[in-house]
Amino acid sequence: MAILVRAWCLAPRPLLPVLQTWDLDPRRWVRALRRSPVKVVFPSGQVVDRKPGPGKQPRKAAAEGSPHAQPLKQPSPAPQSQTPSSWEESGLRYDKALPGDRRLSSVMTIVKSRPFREKQGKILLEGRRLIADALKAGAVPKVFFFSRVEYLKELPVDKLKGVSLIKVKFEDIKEWSDLVTPQGIMGIFAKPDHVKMTFPETQLRHSLPLILICDNLRDPGNLGTILRSAAGAGCSKVLLTKGCVDAWEPKVLRAGMGAHFQVPIINNLDWETVPNYLPNDTRVYVADNCGLYAQAQISSKAIDHGWVCGRQLSKFHKYEEEEEEDLETGASEGWLPELEVQSYDLDWTEAPAAVVIGGETHGVSLESLQLAESTGGKRLLIPVVPGVDSLNSAMAASVLLFEGRRQLRLRVEHLSRDRRYR
């Protein structure tokens, strides 16, 4: 044993300790290999600066070496826009209706009843396109009911601030919807005011001195179609007298296809206040070619061509029935205004014109005839083939409004041509 110890002590020892390979950290050397050199020094003494790779900035050696070096000032970020550009940036939140939630049913009960609708001052809009048109025109939303969040993301985010957003089941929307195929979103808006609304610039630029007056129109589909034709023809405004169906009824809105937000609509007017909404020197024309007196005043030439209404003479207007009662009691015979009958395709737009369209059941009212007489207007007759009933209100309004647009366009062309040759 002593011999072995002495041999170990006499064995030659290495001057430097031998490092084992497993004592080194391999990650340190891999990290060093990945570093890009700032400068390359060749054996000849030439120094070449290496360009940083894309997206990399060169390090500042002085800043790294000096512990007291001041940090570089970061450029101030650009001010963000006040209007959020996405749903996530806006921070909007919505409620999810639980089973038994009555908010949808209670609101629908209000907006589907005209007395409640007028009392609360709210209307119902359904469909993404109609809601988008309303928001663009400046209508004020109150509540949105939707079945998918994607439907809300299609609307302007800045218009949804302060609006109650409630997610409901599609079955609930389908139960209250008037559409055959519901679009999954309903909006409750404050009843729009034509003075505060912003109508499309193109619509205002093509507006004509042509006004439509609706008298006793009670069919929602007809009124919606008439409003759509009025917007297409370029009417400056539409006046609705008392007795007409509500212009903001869901069926009228659906038939109007967004016309409510393209042309000013003034609702529920008395005939005494109608002249206040007409420009000076406006002539009022009545589209009433089915009355007994209108047929009596038509020329023989018009009769020969069948330019009369095919409606039976026994179907009088209410003012004709009242005249018979007055005649029996000895009243004066000249109480009914006498208006000249004119074909619709003759010029009647030399002055600002207003066209009165009556309902199919009662026709135009006595007040409309008196207004036409006081302004120097006439009856406008649309010829139909004998034996065929008269056109419905929506079709007659479309024919007259676009005929007025044609006449106004020709007048503008003639004026421009005359100025050119002067």
Side-chain angles (χ1 to χ4, degrees):
M1 186 67 182
I3 298 174
L4 293 176
V5 173
R6 185 179 300 175
W8 178 79
C9 294
L10 297 177
R13 298 181 181 179
L15 298 178
L16 296 176
V18 179
L19 298 178
Q20 301 296 332
T21 57
W22 54 79
D23 293 335
L24 301 179
D25 186 5
R27 291 177 297 178
R28 176 182 178 185
W29 302 103
V30 171
R31 191 163 56 246
L33 291 175
R34 290 178 179 175
R35 293 174 179 171
S36 299
V38 179
K39 297 181 179 181
V40 179
V41 181
F42 291 93
S44 60
Q46 182 182 5
V47 179
V48 179
D49 294 336
R50 294 293 301 272
K51 296 182 180 180
K56 298 182 180 180
Q57 298 295 334
R59 297 182 179 181
K60 300 295 181 180
E64 293 180 356
S66 176
H68 302 288
Q70 296 181 357
L72 296 177
K73 294 183 179 181
Q74 298 294 335
S76 58
Q80 297 182 356
S81 175
Q82 299 294 333
T83 302
S85 58
S86 65
W87 175 274
E88 292 74 10
E89 295 179 3
S90 63
L92 296 175
R93 298 292 183 269
Y94 62 87
D95 297 335
K96 189 174 183 180
L98 300 176
D101 196 320
R102 305 289 298 176
R103 285 179 290 183
L104 177 60
S105 59
S106 61
V107 172
M108 291 297 117
T109 304
I110 293 176
V111 296
K112 286 184 175 290
S113 173
R114 180 169 184 173
F116 284 104
R117 189 166 57 241
E118 293 179 350
K119 183 179 180 180
Q120 299 290 335
K122 298 179 181 178
I123 63 171
L124 168 66
L125 301 181
E126 185 175 359
R128 298 186 291 275
R129 178 179 176 181
L130 187 59
I131 291 176
D133 292 342
L135 293 174
K136 188 182 300 183
V140 181
K142 298 296 183 181
V143 185
F144 280 124
F145 297 96
F146 59 96
S147 59
R148 298 179 61 182
V149 181
E150 288 76 10
Y151 299 153
L152 282 182
K153 293 184 178 180
E154 298 177 2
L155 303 177
V157 178
D158 58 319
K159 301 288 186 178
L160 301 180
K161 290 186 176 181
V163 183
S164 298
L165 308 176
I166 304 174
K167 184 178 181 181
V168 297
K169 294 182 179 180
F170 181 78
E171 289 74 13
D172 297 336
I173 293 181
K174 187 176 181 180
E175 181 180 357
W176 289 99
S177 175
D178 293 328
L179 302 179
V180 178
T181 306
Q183 299 187 23
I185 184 171
M186 293 179 171
I188 308 300
F189 286 74
K191 193 172 183 179
D193 186 0
H194 69 281
V195 178
K196 300 179 181 179
M197 293 179 64
T198 304
F199 297 99
E201 190 66 26
T202 54
Q203 190 74 23
L204 297 176
R205 189 166 58 252
H206 292 85
S207 179
L208 302 175
L210 188 62
I211 298 176
L212 175 65
I213 304 176
C214 299
D215 183 19
N216 287 325
L217 282 174
R218 302 181 182 180
D219 184 81
N222 279 346
L223 180 56
T225 305
I226 288 174
L227 294 177
R228 190 175 179 182
S229 298
C235 288
S236 59
K237 67 180 68 173
V238 178
L239 308 180
L240 274 69
T241 61
K242 289 185 176 180
C244 293
V245 64
D246 186 14
W248 302 102
E249 183 176 314
K251 292 183 179 179
V252 181
L253 287 164
R254 185 169 67 252
M257 293 294 293
H260 293 72
F261 308 105
Q262 297 178 348
V263 59
I265 300 174
I266 307 173
N267 203 9
N268 204 25
L269 294 177
D270 292 317
W271 277 105
E272 291 77 10
T273 61
V274 169
N276 299 334
Y277 296 92
L278 301 178
N280 297 330
D281 302 331
T282 299
R283 293 184 181 179
V284 178
Y285 295 87
V286 179
D288 178 28
N289 61 337
C290 298
L292 174 63
Y293 291 89
Q295 295 187 12
Q297 296 177 23
I298 297 175
S299 65
S300 58
K301 180 178 179 180
I303 295 178
D304 295 339
H305 287 81
W307 290 7
V308 296
C309 175
R311 186 176 299 178
Q312 298 296 329
L313 299 182
S314 60
K315 195 172 184 179
F316 296 150
H317 295 306
K318 59 180 180 179
Y319 52 81
E320 295 167 347
E321 297 175 354
E322 294 175 357
E323 183 196 19
E324 293 180 358
E325 296 177 359
D326 293 339
L327 291 176
E328 293 177 358
T329 59
S332 175
E333 298 182 4
W335 67 275
L336 186 65
E338 295 183 1
L339 297 176
E340 180 182 351
V341 179
Q342 173 181 320
S343 179
Y344 82 105
D345 55 350
L346 299 180
D347 191 7
W348 49 270
T349 59
E350 63 274 3
V355 180
V356 180
I357 300 294
E360 298 181 19
T361 304
H362 299 287
V364 295
S365 61
L366 174 62
E367 292 81 0
S368 65
L369 298 176
Q370 294 173 345
L371 181 60
E373 183 185 36
S374 64
T375 58
K378 300 178 182 179
R379 295 177 186 265
L380 295 181
L381 175 65
I382 301 177
V384 294
V385 176
V388 178
D389 200 0
S390 63
L391 302 177
N392 70 351
S393 301
M395 188 63 67
S398 301
V399 171
L400 294 178
L401 293 178
F402 279 93
E403 171 61 23
R405 178 180 177 83
R406 184 190 68 84
Q407 295 180 11
L408 291 172
R409 187 180 71 250
L410 290 178
R411 179 171 287 102
V412 171
E413 293 178 357
H414 291 164
L415 291 176
S416 61
R417 189 181 300 111
D418 294 342
R419 293 175 180 174
R420 191 183 309 161
Y421 289 113
R422 286 180 181 177

